[in-house]
Amino acid sequence: MQTSQPYSGPITLVISEIVEPDRIQEYEAWTRGINQAAQQFAGFLGVETIRPRDRNHPEYVVIVRFDNYDHFRIWSKSSAYRDWMERSHHLVTARTRQQLPSGIEMWFSLPQNSLPTSQHPTYYKKVILGVLAVYPLILLSNALLGPLTATWHPLLGLFISCIFVSALLTYPVMPWLTKLLNFWLYPASAGRQKAESRRQKRNFR
């Protein structure tokens, strides 16, 4: 019997947290502390904190990257990680945690329930989704920007086109497209959602 090999590429941990409005300053200090702690571990690639625009709904997203799963696991199982997470319990009202391979998944709108790595979309689905998203954007870029950049140096025109495509691909095209094709990309999750919907309907009756 063959055994599955652990993912060996870069790993991204995405933590989304709703912070108590009166604890924002404490939470900011906490993020600086846990970031400094993570930097002491082998394989640490960086951290990014996306801060809320609406202070009435202070949702923070913390994105931590490691170079491989082994280094990520050492960090996530360490006493330092546990201690820092314990310190944050009184600061947040809700928290979701998703572990992702580094790659096109960062453009996806994932189902509400985190999925194991083995249930992420297969390679051919990622390729198809990429083509469906990128090809129309390239055509749109050529139509809108082509006349403006026709007299520019070709490399500069291509650079502007890449910025245009990447910006729209990140938002709103890829999130919208992954939600539209959620049933195909994440069939197990879609099945669970349908089963839960049927169960709620039965209970209502």
Side-chain angles (χ1 to χ4, degrees):
M1 181 179 66
Q2 294 181 343
T3 57
S4 59
Q5 297 298 318
Y7 183 80
S8 60
I11 291 291
T12 299
L13 175 65
V14 180
I15 305 174
S16 174
E17 299 173 313
I18 307 297
V19 181
E20 292 280 5
D22 58 345
R23 301 278 189 175
I24 290 179
Q25 290 187 349
E26 291 181 64
Y27 180 82
E28 289 278 357
W30 175 83
T31 60
R32 291 191 292 270
I34 194 173
N35 293 347
Q36 292 173 359
Q39 293 174 20
Q40 308 306 314
F41 283 74
F44 176 78
L45 296 179
V47 64
E48 178 181 358
T49 301
I50 303 176
R51 291 171 171 80
R53 296 181 180 178
D54 183 3
R55 293 185 66 86
N56 294 323
H57 183 71
E59 180 178 7
Y60 282 74
V61 178
V62 181
I63 304 171
V64 185
R65 297 183 177 88
F66 278 82
D67 61 352
N68 61 50
Y69 178 78
D70 289 336
H71 285 149
F72 164 78
R73 181 176 174 82
I74 292 173
W75 154 244
S76 64
K77 297 297 182 182
S78 68
S79 59
Y81 176 82
R82 290 195 302 271
D83 290 345
W84 279 103
M85 296 305 287
E86 285 289 335
R87 297 182 194 182
S88 70
H89 286 335
H90 71 290
L91 303 177
V92 302
T93 59
R95 168 180 287 152
T96 60
R97 182 179 183 274
Q98 295 178 342
Q99 172 194 327
L100 305 175
S102 179
I104 197 171
E105 288 91 344
M106 288 304 296
W107 273 327
F108 284 11
S109 291
L110 296 174
Q112 291 180 351
N113 296 325
S114 299
L115 296 175
T117 300
S118 61
Q119 293 184 23
H120 282 280
T122 57
Y123 178 77
Y124 83 91
K125 289 185 178 181
K126 296 176 188 178
V127 172
I128 293 174
L129 187 69
V131 172
L132 291 176
V134 173
Y135 182 65
L137 289 178
I138 292 176
L139 295 179
L140 181 62
S141 174
N142 290 339
L144 296 180
L145 301 180
L148 300 176
T149 61
T151 58
W152 296 8
H153 189 284
L155 292 181
L156 179 58
L158 180 60
F159 177 68
I160 298 300
S161 179
C162 286
I163 294 175
F164 176 84
V165 171
S166 297
L168 291 180
L169 189 65
T170 302
Y171 186 83
V173 173
M174 190 62 82
W176 173 80
L177 194 57
T178 54
K179 286 183 180 179
L180 180 66
L181 299 178
N182 178 77
F183 68 95
W184 178 63
L185 292 168
Y186 305 99
S189 176
R192 288 195 298 270
Q193 291 176 0
K194 290 182 179 178
E196 178 64 18
S197 177
R198 288 195 296 267
R199 185 185 67 79
Q200 292 178 353
K201 288 181 179 179
R202 287 197 300 268
N203 292 340
F204 179 77
R205 293 173 182 174

